[in-house]
């Protein structure tokens, strides 16, 4: 065997899995075709649980404290500050660089190559001619491993929810709040995340086509805040956000992170859930019980899937306009949901 675990995808979850595997005595190898820190269109808010998970891996990326979440619409707003430790807004490039530095320090091999061929048998997996005991697909929303492993479902029958997409750009302006601010418009949500002392990230989630500038123009308070602020990054997009898989394992292959299935980005907990999946997958490999990962994955992602699916159902229905008013009328309920997602 060349490695105990081949990890296809060197984003944050793939690198976290490599560190988790090394901590359990395995020899992981990461395959990632992109060199240098990898950017991605995302909200960039690390909730307290995600920050704590990184801490257990010895990773502490620089950023801006996040003390809670604020929801607003044209007439109302409601905010909840975390009861415990704060989260942190971290630019994706900074996060990836911090994880890669830790991976390099741990002596984990990262190969700059794309997984072209994957084959498995009863004793292992071969990828690009390299032999490993197991293989993990951490290659994102549009996972090639998911497809090659036969875990990509067919087209859904009947009516399905319209796909949602995301766009993100940074602006050179000092953050005006230590909260992640979510503005609900009729057909989209705007997210503002402080990521350092001089920069905020602004993302829009909604249907396609999306136009970040046009969406900001429909949010008067945010438009006024950003008036005159220079863009600090190029516009980046992601989607379609909702992805499914028929299972999380097939033989000696497992899926982790967005590759394993994804609901939506509107609760901002994708990385926290991905890190949790990496931890439980490493546990199951240490126990030589890869089939048990399916149950562990379900437990690790249950809260996220249930709460996100419920909020998404409301956000894509005639009840959308009631989300912020209801949260404002029931601040304790809103706070309880935020705390649950923040863990």
């Amino acid at each position: 065997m060349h490695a105990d675990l081949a990890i296809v995808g060197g984003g944050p979850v793939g690198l976290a899995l490599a560190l988790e595997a090394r901590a359990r005595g395995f020899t992981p190898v990461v395959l990632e075709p992109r060199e240098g820190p990898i950017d991605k269109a995302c909200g960039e808010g690390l909730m307290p649980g995600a920050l704590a998970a990184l801490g257990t891996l010895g990773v502490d990326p620089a950023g801006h404290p996040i003390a809670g979440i604020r929801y607003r619409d044209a007439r109302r707003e409601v905010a909840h500050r975390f009861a415990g430790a704060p989260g942190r807004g971290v630019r994706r490039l900074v996060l990836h660089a911090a994880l890669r530095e830790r991976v390099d320090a741990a002596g984990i091999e990262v190969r700059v190559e794309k997984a072209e061929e994957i084959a498995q048998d009863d004793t292992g997996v071969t990828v690009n001619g390299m032999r490993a005991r197991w293989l993990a697909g951490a290659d994102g929303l549009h996972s090639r491993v998911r497809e090659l492993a036969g875990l990509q479902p067919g087209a859904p029958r009947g009516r399905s929810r319209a796909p949602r997409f995301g766009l993100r750009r940074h602006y050179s302006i000092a953050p005006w709040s230590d909260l992640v601010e979510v503005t609900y418009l009729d057909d989209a949500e705007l997210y503002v995340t402080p990521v350092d002392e001089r920069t905020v990230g602004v993302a829009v989630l909604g249907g396609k086509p999306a136009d970040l500038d046009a969406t900001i123009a429909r949010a008067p308070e945010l438009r006024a805040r950003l008036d005159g602020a220079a863009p600090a990054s190029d516009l980046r997009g992601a989607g379609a956000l909702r992805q499914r898989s028929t299972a999380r394992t097939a033989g000696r292959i497992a899926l982790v992170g967005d590759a394993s299935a994804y609901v939506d980005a509107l609760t901002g907990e994708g990385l926290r859930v991905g890190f949790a999946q990496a931890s439980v997958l490493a546990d199951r490999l240490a126990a030589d019980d890869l089939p048990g990962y399916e149950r562990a994955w379900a437990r690790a992602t249950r809260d996220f899937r249930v709460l996100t699916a419920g909020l998404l159902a409301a956000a894509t229905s005639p009840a959308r306009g009631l989300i912020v008013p209801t949260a404002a009328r029931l601040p304790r309920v809103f706070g309880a949901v935020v705390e649950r997602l923040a863990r």
Side-chain angles (χ1 to χ4, degrees):
M1 294 286 179
H2 297 106
D4 293 308
L5 175 64
I7 301 169
V8 176
V13 174
L15 296 180
L17 176 58
L19 291 169
E20 295 279 10
R22 174 54 58 85
R24 289 159 179 79
F26 294 127
T27 300
V29 174
V30 179
L31 281 66
E32 170 53 58
R34 296 165 292 181
E35 295 189 73
I38 300 170
D39 205 358
K40 178 184 176 181
C42 59
E44 299 183 316
L46 295 177
M47 296 298 100
L51 201 56
L54 286 170
T56 66
L57 300 175
V59 178
D60 186 24
H64 191 286
I66 292 175
I69 308 292
R70 174 181 287 125
Y71 272 20
R72 59 161 42 107
D73 62 14
R75 296 189 296 169
R76 307 167 186 80
E77 67 176 52
V78 58
H80 176 79
R81 291 183 172 270
F82 301 132
R88 189 177 300 168
V90 179
R91 288 192 69 159
R92 178 53 72 99
L93 290 172
V94 173
L95 173 62
H96 191 270
L99 277 160
R100 180 59 190 270
E101 181 180 358
R102 183 73 183 89
V103 163
D104 290 344
I108 297 171
E109 182 180 2
V110 179
R111 299 187 178 186
V112 183
E113 59 183 87
K114 181 180 179 181
E116 299 285 359
E117 298 180 355
I118 296 173
Q120 64 171 316
D121 53 40
D122 291 341
T123 60
V125 183
T126 302
V127 53
N128 293 3
M130 180 181 72
R131 188 72 172 163
R133 293 172 65 189
W134 302 286
L135 182 143
D139 50 342
L141 289 173
H142 307 292
S143 170
R144 176 66 172 158
V145 173
R146 185 173 64 219
E147 181 181 353
L148 292 175
L151 298 174
Q152 180 71 44
R157 297 179 180 179
R159 295 184 60 186
S160 60
R161 187 177 289 122
R164 281 165 49 90
F165 300 82
L167 292 172
R168 187 216 63 204
R169 181 190 288 137
H170 297 95
Y171 294 86
S172 295
I173 184 173
W176 54 87
S177 173
D178 59 359
L179 304 177
V180 172
E181 298 188 341
V182 184
T183 301
Y184 273 81
L185 302 173
D186 290 343
D187 56 355
E189 305 93 54
L190 280 163
Y191 293 74
V192 179
T193 305
V195 294
D196 61 41
E197 295 302 322
R198 300 178 301 278
T199 314
V200 300
V202 181
V204 59
L205 293 178
K208 191 179 181 180
D211 185 322
L212 181 60
D213 292 329
T215 307
I216 291 172
R218 294 160 50 201
E221 183 170 341
L222 179 57
R223 183 184 65 223
R225 293 275 192 188
L226 296 177
D227 186 31
S233 68
D234 293 332
L235 185 68
R236 298 187 69 89
L241 297 178
R242 186 175 181 87
Q243 297 293 329
R244 299 177 300 135
S245 60
T246 58
R248 261 48 60 181
T249 64
R252 290 183 168 269
I253 298 174
L255 302 177
V256 66
D258 294 352
S260 69
Y262 193 71
V263 181
D264 199 90
L266 79 175
T267 56
E269 266 304 88
L271 278 178
R272 173 67 187 100
V273 175
F275 295 153
Q277 292 173 35
S279 178
V280 298
L281 175 55
D283 283 343
R284 290 301 88 211
L285 295 180
D288 198 16
D289 177 29
L290 186 55
Y293 173 58
E294 188 71 45
R295 296 185 299 275
W297 181 91
R299 289 192 298 270
T301 63
R302 182 176 295 113
D303 286 356
F304 167 78
R305 288 183 289 111
V306 170
L307 292 172
T308 304
L311 184 55
L312 180 62
T316 55
S317 77
R320 177 182 177 83
L322 299 176
I323 292 175
V324 177
T326 300
R329 285 197 301 270
L330 301 170
R332 291 186 178 180
V333 174
F334 175 70
V337 171
V338 171
E339 291 292 334
R340 191 70 174 174
L341 289 168
R343 294 194 322 186

